[in-house]
Amino acid sequence: MDTANLTREETAARSAALTVHRIRVELDLTGAPERARSGFPTVTILEFDATVETTWLDFIGEEVRRVVVNGVDQEVVYDGARIPVSGLAPSNVVRVEAVGAYSRSGEGLHRFHDPVDDHTYLYTQYEPADSRRVMACFEQPDMKAAFTFVVDAPSGWEVLSNQSPAHTDLGVGVQRVEFAPTLPISSYITAIAAGPYARVDGEWEREEQRIALGVFVRRSLAPHLEADEILEVTRQGLDFFTDAFAYPYPWGKYDQIFVPEYNLGAMENPGLVTFTEAYLSRGAATDAQRAARANTILHEMAHMWFGDLVTMTWWDDLWLKESFADYMGSHASAVATRFHDAWVKFAANRKAWAYQQDQLPTTHPIVADITDLEAAKLNFDGITYAKGAAVLKQLVAFVGDDAFFEGARRYFAANAFGNTTLDDFLVQLSAVSGRDMSGWSAAWLQTSGVSTLSLETDGEGNRFLHQTDPRPHRLRIGLYDRVDGRIMRREQRELDVEGERTKVDLPEADLVLLNDDDLTYAKARLDERSLHVVEESLSAIDDPLARALVWSSLWNATRDGELDAPRYLAIVRTHAPAEGNIGLLAGILANAMYALRHFVRDENRGNEHRNWANAVRSALHDAEAGSDAQLSWARALATASGYDDVHHDEVRGMLDGRVPEGLVVDPDLRWQLLTALVTTGHADLADISAEQERDDTGSGHTAARRARASFPEGGVRRAAWESAWDDLSLSNDHIDAEIAGFRAGGRRDLVSAFDDEYFARIGRVWQERSIEIARRLVLGFFPAAESLQPVDSWLTANTTAPAALRRLVIEQRDHLERDLRVREAQG
């Protein structure tokens, strides 16, 4: 067994035998600016009780130099992942001296050198199991401790952790910062950040409670921080959650830091929340982008209670934090901030992620069976997040807001600073609501799959609501009519549905929405009359949530092969230019591009690409000057132009300054436009070099790498392939850039020769690289082949491959099988 891949059984045995009290971690980061220095000294002192004589500590780093157990040096035995310790007494102090490795993969302690000013920036990212890359620890969520961090760093740097500094000692060119001990927390939510970050301070207060707020970013990105809005949303969130949960924010301060080359959207480290820099625009951003950032700020803030204060015992119950945080992100956005339409985007976009995940052969219940850490890593998915949130939204409709939030309050009060499972939450909710929640849990949390709702009419004219994969639903059916050129809701029927067929008494209507208001989790089909009305008048529907549900229904039907992709694309070309909700528009544009690349038959794709490119250009020029729609269509034109070059002269003109009135062409859009030209052979290396000189930043260097890999030449694509697989110096973002260049333009003629080599490489890369990097390579290079035979052969020959690797390959096979099946069904 790979000793780095901890199992549920062995970690449960360890937590049963040990009780951790305090952990002190001393890190020497003074050498971080030296690029040649690959590692950093780390000392961990662990205080714990034991009922066994032996155990192990988790650590992944360059070396372990010394292990001291209760004052006695022990022979160092280290296999690269575990450090055995023996001679334990009932009460123990263990000291481990080691050398950790600076990360380029976003796992552990990530190091970034900013090309703008050559400053060095550090931050940590651990979930689910990478704190062991920084300290020797018990890498499991149910072994909480009070952590004290001591960090040596260059003077002048900001040095941050979960708590505020207790004291700082200044030396010649260096500083030692010792932080106050944390309250009991799991190792995966501890955090360190260090570097010459720019900071903006604020404060939130409520009665006797005052919370210091900090927002941090690299100095070169400080002009783009939008700190005022970030702090405003933070204060609104603290107001909301303090009232909603009736448990004061417990973590002392609330710092938020935007970091480079980040693998996630954000991470809920108490007192030091990390965010991807992608949430900061370098010149132009839509309101939908700001809404997404606000949603994420509130999602992470919800974790201060769901996940940090009360933590799941093991990753089986990951939903106890992620589903709740996903729900709360949208709910708090809608009621506490200016982004009142949060549930609109959730209905159309977030749930699409869940529907897709839930139709894979690897789908799983929300409460999953997570046997080990590799399985845990892959379960941060559309089920755990979006389906879980959708099911909680249905639960709130079932028991009511008051009961739901009172159940949460009792859950926090009963389990603060502890670990829980599903039953702990259901006990509180059942007590408050007066309902036995076991049936609901069995139907929604402990089973997998998604129901499809449709209307049927029998030979006698009776109408039935039919559902596949039957489950209990509380839903509303909306009846909409044409009124003075608009589509307006006339009435609404609410009902509970359980079986496969439910008789419904519905009057005629121009448009029938089967999950009106989006209360339940199900794919809802349009009947034929409604579909014809939608084709003619979708953009005339006044209610944005109703439009979201229609767009969602159309997309699901297209993915399932029940609505021809060309028909779907025709609806998009007709009605997307009039879509006023920018969050919806962004998802519609992305889905249209996906349909073009995956669901249109090969012989029709060129024509459909041309139709789309022309429609996008027209929408761009018709959009209001300076509007979010204009910016969205400009980005869509850049994407479309990487596949069809009919408007390459106009794209070149936009780079040269000939832009529609009001359009802001920021550095990121410039790179999109230039990469499209490179991909289609209308720009060269000189153009890329000139653009990189213009944008000599970290983002600019990554974008230039992608552009160089996008040239439509076989040798260039091979170089990108070899670099991504074999160059161990590449960061996570640089690997992504090479993969994106390799796939640019959908040019199977340039890359199909690598299909066999892909299957020869993936087993080895899974063994040799971190799971984050291996996952990127396995997903990014999966062949968009014309046959299932190569992947089926690999699966047959590799039945004993790691389960997490097989899961990824099986999921990619399913996507490919869907593509081939849907294309075949066209017409």
Side-chain angles (χ1 to χ4, degrees):
M1 184 190 78
D2 177 5
T3 61
N5 187 23
L6 303 175
T7 69
R8 179 175 54 201
E9 286 71 20
E10 62 183 343
T11 55
R14 181 165 65 175
S15 63
L18 307 180
T19 301
V20 191
H21 299 297
R22 287 167 294 277
I23 298 178
R24 179 182 175 92
V25 182
E26 300 174 359
L27 303 175
D28 182 358
L29 308 181
T30 55
E34 301 174 31
R35 294 172 186 254
R37 185 171 295 196
S38 62
F40 56 92
T42 170
V43 176
T44 310
I45 302 167
L46 307 97
E47 300 178 37
F48 59 94
D49 297 337
T51 60
V52 293
E53 293 185 356
T54 63
T55 189
W56 81 94
L57 297 172
D58 303 300
F59 180 71
I60 297 175
E62 292 187 351
E63 63 174 315
V64 176
R65 292 175 171 172
R66 188 182 183 203
V67 178
V68 183
V69 180
N70 297 324
V72 178
D73 276 84
Q74 185 177 102
E75 180 186 0
V76 174
V77 178
Y78 177 54
D79 64 2
R82 303 189 186 198
I83 307 169
V85 292
S86 58
L88 297 178
S91 182
N92 303 277
V93 178
V94 175
R95 177 185 178 95
V96 177
E97 299 175 12
V99 178
Y102 291 114
S103 170
R104 292 290 283 149
S105 68
E107 302 156 295
L109 182 60
H110 190 82
R111 178 170 62 175
F112 177 82
H113 300 291
D114 192 338
V116 174
D117 49 24
D118 205 35
H119 287 317
T120 300
Y121 294 91
L122 306 173
Y123 67 87
T124 56
Q125 171 55 38
Y126 296 151
E127 190 176 36
D130 286 316
S131 65
R132 54 187 168 164
R133 296 180 184 273
V134 174
M135 58 186 171
C137 64
F138 301 109
E139 192 72 279
Q140 55 192 90
D142 63 340
M143 297 186 72
K144 291 188 171 184
F147 285 84
T148 298
F149 288 94
V150 182
V151 180
D152 294 344
S155 59
W157 277 20
E158 294 284 352
V159 184
L160 306 167
S161 187
N162 303 89
Q163 286 289 330
S164 298
H167 55 83
T168 301
D169 296 325
L170 299 178
V172 179
V174 299
Q175 58 179 321
R176 166 165 285 194
V177 182
E178 179 167 339
F179 293 90
T182 69
L183 294 166
I185 57 176
S186 306
S187 61
Y188 79 91
I189 52 174
T190 62
I192 293 290
Y197 288 97
R199 70 179 294 159
V200 176
D201 292 315
E203 187 178 69
W204 173 85
E205 58 181 307
R206 168 71 70 86
E207 298 175 351
E208 300 301 316
Q209 190 177 25
R210 290 190 174 185
I211 304 297
L213 309 178
V215 184
F216 299 82
V217 72
R218 286 187 289 135
R219 289 183 184 178
S220 61
L221 280 179
H224 309 298
L225 183 56
E226 295 188 322
D228 289 345
E229 179 168 291
I230 291 166
L231 288 170
E232 178 184 20
V233 172
T234 303
R235 294 187 184 100
Q236 291 168 332
L238 286 169
D239 283 339
F240 174 80
F241 289 119
T242 297
D243 291 337
F245 295 153
Y247 194 109
Y249 174 77
W251 305 111
K253 67 181 177 72
Y254 202 95
D255 288 338
Q256 298 172 98
I257 185 167
F258 292 82
V259 296
E261 298 183 328
Y262 198 53
N263 288 331
L264 310 175
M267 181 63 202
E268 67 268 18
N269 315 304
L272 182 57
V273 183
T274 41
F275 294 85
T276 173
E277 289 177 348
Y279 282 123
L280 304 178
S281 165
R282 295 198 293 154
T286 66
D287 215 41
Q289 289 174 274
R290 294 188 174 92
R293 182 175 65 200
N295 191 303
T296 302
I297 289 172
L298 296 169
H299 175 119
E300 302 309 322
M301 189 178 292
H303 276 310
M304 300 299 122
W305 291 266
F306 280 111
D308 294 356
L309 178 65
V310 183
T311 310
M312 69 274 155
T313 298
W314 179 248
W315 301 101
D316 294 348
D317 283 301
L318 177 62
W319 80 281
L320 275 172
K321 70 184 190 77
E322 293 303 347
S323 298
F324 282 87
D326 219 47
Y327 172 80
M328 289 297 173
S330 293
H331 180 69
S333 290
V335 303
T337 76
R338 68 184 179 88
F339 303 108
H340 302 303
D341 64 346
W343 288 117
V344 173
K345 188 174 181 182
F346 180 88
N349 300 343
R350 196 68 169 174
K351 287 178 77 171
W353 181 27
Y355 295 144
Q356 173 181 304
Q357 190 87 41
D358 217 3
Q359 294 177 88
L360 293 171
T362 56
T363 189
H364 56 86
I366 294 171
V367 180
D369 180 26
I370 304 299
T371 58
D372 56 36
L373 286 181
E374 286 194 356
K377 178 75 172 179
L378 298 189
N379 257 46
F380 290 80
D381 60 15
I383 303 298
T384 303
Y385 283 73
K387 181 180 181 179
V391 167
L392 288 176
K393 187 169 187 275
Q394 184 205 46
L395 173 64
V396 173
F398 183 57
V399 303
D401 271 354
D402 292 344
F404 178 78
F405 280 99
E406 180 58 27
R409 294 178 192 120
R410 295 188 184 189
Y411 174 70
F412 298 138
N415 301 290
F417 304 106
N419 295 87
T420 58
T421 63
L422 166 66
D423 288 343
D424 296 300
F425 179 73
L426 294 183
V427 163
Q428 301 299 334
L429 193 59
S430 295
V432 171
S433 66
R435 300 172 183 264
D436 179 1
M437 302 306 300
S438 59
W440 174 83
S441 173
W444 286 105
L445 301 181
Q446 296 166 297
T447 61
S448 61
V450 56
S451 304
T452 300
L453 306 177
S454 59
L455 275 180
E456 293 181 350
T457 303
D458 67 13
E460 299 177 359
N462 298 309
R463 304 182 83 180
F464 295 87
L465 183 63
H466 178 268
Q467 66 162 324
T468 63
D469 198 6
R471 284 181 178 77
H473 302 270
R474 171 160 293 179
L475 56 82
R476 295 169 185 157
I477 298 178
L479 305 173
Y480 292 74
D481 289 333
R482 299 177 192 264
V483 179
D484 297 329
R486 310 303 298 169
I487 304 294
M488 311 285 289
R489 185 165 63 199
R490 182 182 77 231
E491 60 178 301
Q492 195 177 64
R493 304 286 178 90
E494 185 166 324
L495 67 156
D496 291 324
V497 176
E498 291 193 7
E500 184 175 345
R501 299 179 84 216
T502 302
K503 189 173 182 180
V504 292
D505 182 18
L506 294 177
E508 292 296 319
D510 291 324
L511 170 63
V512 179
L513 286 186
L514 297 182
N515 185 25
D516 208 19
D517 291 341
D518 196 37
L519 295 187
T520 196
Y521 173 78
K523 297 186 295 180
R525 295 287 194 246
L526 297 171
D527 62 83
E528 196 60 33
R529 177 180 177 181
S530 296
L531 179 57
H532 284 298
V533 170
V534 162
E535 284 185 297
E536 296 174 359
S537 306
L538 192 163
S539 50
I541 300 173
D542 282 339
D543 180 17
L545 181 55
R547 289 200 310 278
L549 295 172
V550 169
W551 283 117
S552 175
S553 178
L554 294 171
W555 177 238
N556 285 322
T558 304
R559 286 193 74 250
D560 293 345
E562 295 185 16
L563 180 67
D564 281 357
R567 189 177 181 186
Y568 169 77
L569 289 166
I571 295 173
V572 174
R573 291 194 300 269
T574 300
H575 295 289
E579 179 52 65
N581 185 288
I582 298 303
L584 285 183
L585 180 60
I588 293 162
L589 296 177
N591 287 344
M593 244 352 272
Y594 192 93
L596 278 165
R597 297 308 311 155
H598 293 264
F599 299 147
V600 174
R601 293 175 70 101
D602 294 346
E603 61 269 26
N604 299 330
R605 189 171 294 123
N607 185 55
E608 289 292 343
H609 265 305
R610 181 61 51 87
N611 291 340
W612 178 242
N614 289 333
V616 168
R617 178 187 176 278
S618 296
L620 168 62
H621 287 280
D622 291 342
E624 179 183 352
S627 66
D628 286 353
Q630 183 189 52
L631 179 58
S632 298
W633 286 107
R635 291 169 174 168
L637 179 62
T639 302
S641 296
Y643 295 90
D644 187 294
D645 64 354
V646 63
H647 300 300
H648 70 88
D649 286 336
E650 186 163 344
V651 170
R652 172 64 73 177
M654 292 171 69
L655 287 171
D656 292 340
R658 299 189 299 277
V659 301
E661 180 183 355
L663 178 65
V664 176
V665 181
D666 67 3
D668 297 322
L669 179 54
R670 288 187 61 85
W671 279 113
Q672 284 183 269
L673 295 166
L674 177 59
T675 302
L677 293 178
V678 172
T679 301
T680 54
H682 296 288
D684 56 23
L685 283 174
D687 293 308
I688 297 173
S689 297
E691 194 64 31
Q692 184 172 341
E693 185 175 347
R694 178 190 182 108
D695 182 25
D696 192 18
T697 65
S699 297
H701 284 211
T702 302
R705 179 180 289 274
R706 174 177 179 170
R708 285 192 295 269
S710 299
F711 276 105
E713 300 172 7
V716 171
R717 301 300 173 96
R718 170 162 287 283
W721 167 271
E722 292 175 348
S723 179
W725 288 105
D726 300 330
D727 187 347
L728 302 185
S729 71
L730 294 186
S731 73
N732 45 1
D733 280 7
H734 288 172
I735 289 174
D736 282 350
E738 298 287 359
I739 292 170
F742 177 84
R743 302 189 75 100
R747 293 289 301 273
R748 280 289 294 163
D749 58 313
L750 296 176
V751 302
S752 61
F754 298 93
D755 291 0
D756 291 343
E757 188 178 345
Y758 167 88
F759 290 108
R761 279 182 176 265
I762 57 176
R764 186 170 69 254
V765 81
W766 196 264
Q767 293 176 338
E768 297 175 353
R769 306 294 293 274
S770 72
I771 190 170
E772 178 63 38
I773 296 302
R775 179 178 173 275
R776 289 173 187 244
L777 293 166
V778 170
L779 296 181
F781 282 126
F782 184 86
E786 295 73 30
S787 164
L788 295 172
Q789 187 274 326
V791 63
D792 286 343
S793 294
W794 185 90
L795 288 168
T796 300
N798 291 272
T799 56
T800 60
L805 172 58
R806 282 185 58 87
R807 172 178 168 172
L808 292 179
V809 175
I810 288 169
E811 289 178 351
Q812 294 309 297
R813 182 207 182 276
D814 192 74
H815 292 317
L816 177 59
E817 189 276 332
R818 180 181 292 268
D819 292 353
L820 298 175
R821 170 169 45 83
V822 171
R823 283 180 221 158
E824 184 63 27
Q826 298 299 306

